[in-house]
């Protein structure tokens, strides 16, 4: 974006694009960061969501179980159709 103040030496960063600098709490695994997956891609958003789940909370465990069923069901269905 355009900066009106000629004496402002601050670099133009995400805050100037509407995203505060501290808004991103990066909890992605190292491998996801190395592959360039961010929360703005489908795969990265799914990885970030799954990495925020805590095994100590029962509702998080239930959501993780539902995700496991949702991703395993098509593969299991295909295997059953092949047999």
């Amino acid at each position: 974006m355009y900066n009106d103040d000629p004496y402002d030496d601050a670099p133009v960063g995400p805050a100037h694009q509407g995203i505060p600098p501290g808004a991103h709490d990066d909890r992605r695994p190292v491998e996801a960061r190395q592959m360039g997956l961010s929360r703005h891609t489908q795969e990265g958003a799914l990885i970030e969501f799954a990495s925020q789940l805590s095994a100590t909370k029962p509702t998080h465990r239930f959501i993780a179980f539902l995700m496991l069923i949702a991703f395993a069901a098509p593969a299991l269905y295909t295997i059953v159709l092949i047999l």
Side-chain angles (χ1 to χ4, degrees), residues 2 4-6 8 11 18-19 22 25 33-35 37 45 49 52 54 58 60 64 73 82:
Y2 183 71
D4 291 335
D5 187 7
D8 186 13
I19 303 169
D25 185 18
R33 276 185 248 144
Q34 289 174 348
M35 288 189 291
L37 295 175
F49 175 75
Q52 290 180 1
S54 172
H60 287 204
I82 291 173

Side-chain angles (χ1 to χ4, degrees), residues 15-57:
H16 293 248
Q17 299 169 358
I19 303 169
H24 298 294
D25 185 18
D26 197 6
R27 296 181 183 173
R28 293 176 297 160
V30 176
E31 294 85 10
R33 276 185 248 144
Q34 289 174 348
M35 288 189 291
L37 295 175
S38 70
R39 66 173 26 172
H40 305 293
T41 62
Q42 288 181 348
E43 296 86 3
L46 198 60
I47 289 172
E48 185 171 349
F49 175 75
S51 66
Q52 290 180 1
L53 295 175
S54 172
T56 60
K57 297 181 180 179

Side-chain angles (χ1 to χ4, degrees), residues 69-79:
I69 291 172
F71 289 111
L76 293 175
Y77 183 68
T78 303
I79 291 172

Side-chain angles (χ1 to χ4, degrees), residues 58-78:
T59 55
H60 287 204
R61 291 176 69 141
F62 179 71
I63 295 297
F65 184 69
L66 287 179
M67 288 176 60
L68 179 65
I69 291 172
F71 289 111
L76 293 175
Y77 183 68
T78 303

